[in-house]
Amino acid sequence: MDDLERSLQFYRDGLDFETDGIVGQAFEHGAVVFIQLSSALKLALWPRASISHDTGLTLGPASATEFTLGHNVSSAAEVDQVMLQAQSAGGNIVKPAHETFWGGYAGYFQDPDGHLWEMVWNPAWVAE
């Protein structure tokens, strides 16, 4: 991502994810947002330039097809609800929610930085 404040607003204010906001701003390349996804899982939002600096890798062009984040929910209706919430928060619906070939229900949206999220209901899995 290139705009950490915009990303924070999308995830905290738009999607209601739990976070303490931007931390580490006192350090060059230290600003980060930690999103609490579960008791043992956090999503760290780092500016791409900071990741490049920290890893030593050359900063390249962003690509939405590098990876997706999958979020399993407990019903098809919840997929629809989160997709609508993401769109209302400024996300871009890439593929509307639909019945899948494997018997589930899923759709894709992009956050303001173009990262892909797949919202999924899988009848064979029990979501927390």
Side-chain angles (χ1 to χ4, degrees):
M1 75 206 37
D2 296 317
D3 186 337
L4 193 55
E5 182 65 38
R6 180 185 67 187
S7 295
L8 170 63
Q9 290 174 359
F10 177 78
Y11 285 102
R12 180 193 62 204
D13 304 336
L15 296 183
D16 299 322
F17 282 173
E18 184 180 323
T19 178
D20 291 331
I22 299 173
V23 298
Q25 292 176 308
F27 306 99
E28 183 178 11
H29 302 289
V32 61
V33 172
F34 292 109
I35 305 285
Q36 190 70 44
L37 297 178
S38 72
S39 61
L41 184 63
K42 290 187 183 208
L43 172 64
L45 305 176
W46 292 89
R48 291 174 350 99
S50 295
I51 295 171
S52 173
H53 174 80
D54 197 46
T55 63
L57 296 172
T58 302
L59 181 63
S63 172
T65 58
E66 293 171 355
F67 70 94
T68 66
L69 297 164
H71 183 173
N72 288 281
V73 296
S74 58
S75 68
E78 192 173 355
V79 169
D80 289 335
Q81 184 272 321
V82 175
M83 294 285 287
L84 181 60
Q85 185 177 6
Q87 185 175 36
S88 296
N92 176 43
I93 303 300
V94 173
K95 187 173 187 179
H98 61 283
E99 292 184 9
T100 65
F101 70 91
W102 45 268
Y105 189 74
Y108 284 95
F109 70 84
Q110 288 178 300
D111 72 9
D113 293 294
H115 302 119
L116 281 170
W117 281 80
E118 182 184 24
M119 295 307 306
V120 183
W121 170 66
N122 183 336
W125 291 359
V126 176
E128 291 181 19

